[in-house]
Amino acid sequence: MRRTDEDRIRDLAESIKGIGLLHPVSVAEKDGDFILLAGFHRIGAYKLLGLQQIPATIRKSDELVDQLIACEENLVRSELNAIQTAEHIVRREKLLIALGRKAVVGNNQYSESKITSDDLARQMGYTRRTYQYKRSVANLNEEAKDLLCETKFADNLMDMVKLQKEPDQIQVEIAKLLASGESRTFRRAWVVAHMKYKQDKWTDEVKSKIEEIGIPKSIMRWDRIDNNLSRMCSLVNKSEKTKVQKVIAQFGTNEINNYQMNPEMSKWFINFYSNEGDLILDNFCGRGTNVIAGASLGRRVVAFDLAQENLTLIESTCLEHTQIKPDDLVLHHSCGVVLEEYGSQESIFDLCLTDPPYLGAEQYGDDPRDLCLLKDVDSYNKKMERCLTNLKRLIKPSDFKKKIFHPIVMKLGSVRRGETGLVDMATEIEIIARKVGLILHEKIHNELHSAYQSYNLHRCIENGYTVKSHETSVVLVKY
């Protein structure tokens, strides 16, 4: 059964030639013949030296010796599968230990001159790793062994090595699937079994978030839905006091007003990044979509705007149509850049969700502090740097290791400025955020469905532009 190590035979021959044989070979007498138990390479060395006889210790045949001989003979049979080979390897080791021939881990195996696992591997012509792989299959669950032992799947050594590392219930399930024919390949059985016993690692909080927001994606689409929230927002958005006409299309028959934020989008971000009772801020609240959504979802809300008409309608809508308490709704007719009412405070808001006016794109009022009146990028960025510095101070710190996030979420677009090129507000804000020490945590692209797209089509084609169909929400945090 043993494979020859020619180098070792030559080394032994030189040693024997010089100092003689130190340890006799060991044989067992059975039915008038002698079975070699130990000394295969010593016999090879004697043959190399041309010697006809070798000193031997003769051991009478007994049950252990008989079992070892049978085990040795079986191991040379090529038809053994991986499970049978593993069982014979383990059985052989146990018999050698019982016969006092194999070293036991923890003993001084080298000074005792006993066979080691490395010796056994070499005798079988295997590397140490291959021997360990073959032996490890013996660790299979007993029921799994019984189910697989007579199948073709037991012939694949590495599949059996992989299987024995799995929990018992997985091993047995895979074996049942293969033995019954329900799964025709090991890979298929592996997947099916793991799906059955896959541990549910989702916390109740994560499950709740999924129910509220669905699957969060880097590109999101929110359809406008006719529900209580959208109707509440329309009380402000469609009021003659707050409506701002952008253009008149179709030969004067169709008014297109300034963009109205989708309430479903506001609701999504509020549910994703805050919890009921949290304090949220919108420092550029406009016609109050974020504010109304926050109030309807049980958040406490602080908001800023430069148009008193907006704030008056937002307040009456929230107090009349949501459950928010008057003390939990604080509206400031003040500048959302300076935030002077909170000049001495720090780390008070759980979420800031805001939609800053585009750079020179749409005009909402005549207040000189209004960002929409700024026409050059540098002036706009200077204002936004001051704004982000204040927001960084006021937002609560996040903790990535504890999975606690208190972000500043800004919905941003882009402005095309002819020969001076495209101004991507998201890029500008990212640069400013990095400058003031905020971290870009996430970036979400929002699909747009604006009536202005069709009106603007001719201009886009004429100037080599695409129709703008997305905005970007940047999610910033401080650690």
Side-chain angles (χ1 to χ4, degrees):
M1 192 213 87
R2 297 176 175 85
R3 315 294 169 87
T4 302
D5 185 337
E6 298 297 337
D7 289 338
R8 189 174 181 192
I9 287 176
R10 283 192 291 269
D11 290 341
L12 275 171
E14 288 297 319
S15 175
I16 293 169
K17 187 176 179 180
I19 61 174
L21 182 65
L22 297 179
H23 301 287
V25 298
S26 178
V27 298
E29 184 178 3
K30 183 179 181 182
D31 300 329
D33 292 323
F34 293 102
I35 307 298
L36 181 67
L37 298 178
F40 181 75
H41 287 92
R42 279 169 276 175
I43 288 179
Y46 260 64
K47 289 180 179 179
L48 184 62
L49 292 171
L51 301 174
Q52 300 299 314
Q53 294 182 335
I54 185 171
T57 299
I58 301 174
R59 179 169 187 151
K60 293 293 183 181
S61 177
D62 59 23
E63 185 179 353
L64 288 178
V65 172
D66 290 344
Q67 290 181 28
L68 179 61
I69 293 170
C71 188
E72 297 269 8
E73 291 175 346
N74 286 334
L75 276 170
V76 299
R77 292 166 54 193
S78 59
E79 64 266 24
L80 292 181
N81 61 36
I83 293 175
Q84 294 164 340
T85 299
E87 291 179 334
H88 277 76
I89 286 174
V90 171
R91 181 59 180 159
R92 181 190 181 208
E93 289 186 4
K94 290 180 177 178
L95 289 169
L96 287 170
I97 291 172
L99 291 167
R101 297 301 303 149
K102 185 182 182 302
V104 179
V105 176
N107 292 345
N108 191 343
Q109 54 194 29
Y110 299 103
S111 64
E112 292 179 356
S113 300
K114 292 184 178 181
I115 300 172
T116 66
S117 294
D118 288 350
D119 294 329
L120 295 176
R122 282 194 298 270
Q123 289 172 5
M124 296 181 71
Y126 300 139
T127 64
R128 181 179 183 181
R129 175 173 292 184
T130 300
Y131 184 81
Q132 289 174 340
Y133 279 152
K134 286 180 174 290
R135 190 188 190 286
S136 69
V137 177
N139 297 325
L140 278 169
N141 172 276
E142 291 300 325
E143 185 178 354
K145 280 184 189 177
D146 292 341
L147 288 166
L148 292 174
C149 192
E150 301 301 326
T151 71
K152 64 179 182 179
F153 302 103
D155 293 330
N156 191 310
L157 171 63
M158 294 316 296
D159 282 350
M160 296 300 100
V161 171
K162 184 177 180 181
L163 182 60
Q164 59 88 23
K165 296 178 181 178
E166 294 300 304
D168 284 350
Q169 62 182 7
I170 296 288
Q171 290 187 36
V172 172
E173 184 64 23
I174 290 174
K176 287 180 178 178
L177 290 168
L178 293 173
S180 67
E182 188 174 342
S183 292
R184 304 178 76 175
T185 66
F186 182 83
R187 182 177 180 181
R188 174 64 180 169
W190 178 275
V191 172
V192 172
H194 279 81
M195 288 295 293
K196 178 177 180 179
Y197 289 105
K198 183 180 179 182
Q199 292 183 354
D200 186 354
K201 296 181 179 179
W202 287 11
T203 63
D204 290 340
E205 183 178 358
V206 169
K207 292 177 182 178
S208 176
K209 286 291 183 186
I210 290 292
E211 290 177 1
E212 289 177 340
I213 68 171
I215 299 174
K217 301 177 182 179
S218 59
I219 300 176
M220 294 292 298
R221 171 175 176 161
W222 293 278
D223 294 321
R224 292 188 180 273
I225 300 173
D226 182 17
N227 55 22
N228 287 335
L229 178 57
S230 67
R231 289 191 284 272
M232 283 190 287
C233 291
S234 292
L235 294 174
V236 180
N237 284 324
K238 296 183 178 180
S239 168
E240 293 298 325
K241 295 180 180 180
T242 61
K243 187 165 59 175
V244 179
Q245 180 179 296
K246 189 170 185 175
V247 294
I248 299 179
Q250 295 179 347
F251 310 103
T253 63
N254 183 27
E255 292 185 0
I256 299 177
N257 299 315
N258 277 353
Y259 174 71
Q260 301 173 8
M261 189 170 182
N262 188 338
E264 293 303 309
M265 179 178 175
S266 299
K267 177 181 175 182
W268 190 89
F269 277 105
I270 291 169
N271 277 329
F272 194 9
Y273 288 118
S274 70
N275 298 301
E276 189 171 341
D278 281 354
L279 181 62
I280 66 175
L281 167 69
D282 184 353
N283 56 318
F284 302 111
C285 75
R287 284 163 287 178
T289 303
N290 290 332
V291 180
I292 296 169
S296 69
L297 293 170
R299 273 57 167 181
R300 297 172 294 129
V301 186
V302 173
F304 284 74
D305 200 73
L306 295 174
Q308 183 59 57
E309 296 87 355
N310 290 349
L311 296 173
T312 300
L313 277 172
I314 292 168
E315 182 177 35
S316 62
T317 299
C318 289
L319 294 179
E320 291 175 21
H321 299 282
T322 75
Q323 300 298 313
I324 194 168
K325 299 176 182 178
D327 290 344
D328 291 337
L329 178 65
V330 181
L331 305 178
H332 298 287
H333 181 215
S334 184
C335 178
V337 171
V338 179
L339 300 166
E340 62 181 346
E341 288 81 0
Y342 298 89
S344 61
Q345 299 187 53
E346 295 183 4
S347 302
I348 60 173
F349 293 108
D350 295 287
L351 166 67
C352 174
L353 178 62
T354 192
D355 182 6
Y358 280 20
L359 171 63
E362 298 176 332
Q363 186 168 337
Y364 291 91
D366 298 321
D367 192 305
R369 298 170 294 176
D370 199 327
L371 292 176
C372 69
L373 299 178
L374 297 175
K375 302 302 180 183
D376 67 283
V377 177
D378 291 339
S379 297
Y380 185 89
N381 286 351
K382 187 175 180 180
K383 289 276 192 179
M384 289 307 297
E385 181 176 343
R386 185 177 183 185
C387 174
L388 284 173
T389 300
N390 286 327
L391 292 179
K392 179 191 175 186
R393 171 173 51 82
L394 292 171
I395 199 73
K396 290 180 179 178
S398 297
D399 189 321
F400 190 84
K401 290 182 179 179
K402 294 182 179 179
K403 309 307 175 192
I404 298 172
F405 303 106
H406 299 293
I408 300 165
V409 181
M410 285 190 170
K411 182 171 72 67
L412 304 161
S414 58
V415 182
R416 290 155 174 159
R417 314 200 74 182
E419 293 179 352
T420 59
L422 175 79
V423 179
D424 182 4
M425 291 175 61
T427 300
E428 300 292 332
I429 293 299
E430 287 174 39
I431 294 170
I432 296 168
R434 190 178 302 116
K435 182 178 179 181
V436 303
L438 288 166
I439 303 298
L440 179 65
H441 177 75
E442 184 56 281
K443 201 172 186 178
I444 301 167
H445 300 288
N446 327 311
E447 286 191 41
L448 284 178
H449 307 280
S450 171
Y452 192 62
Q453 290 176 348
S454 58
Y455 173 82
N456 206 31
L457 178 59
H458 177 272
R459 171 178 173 266
C460 288
I461 295 175
E462 186 177 55
N463 291 294
Y465 297 149
T466 57
V467 174
K468 191 175 2 178
S469 60
H470 83 281
E471 292 173 315
T472 302
S473 292
V474 295
V475 181
L476 308 168
V477 297
K478 72 174 180 184
Y479 289 119

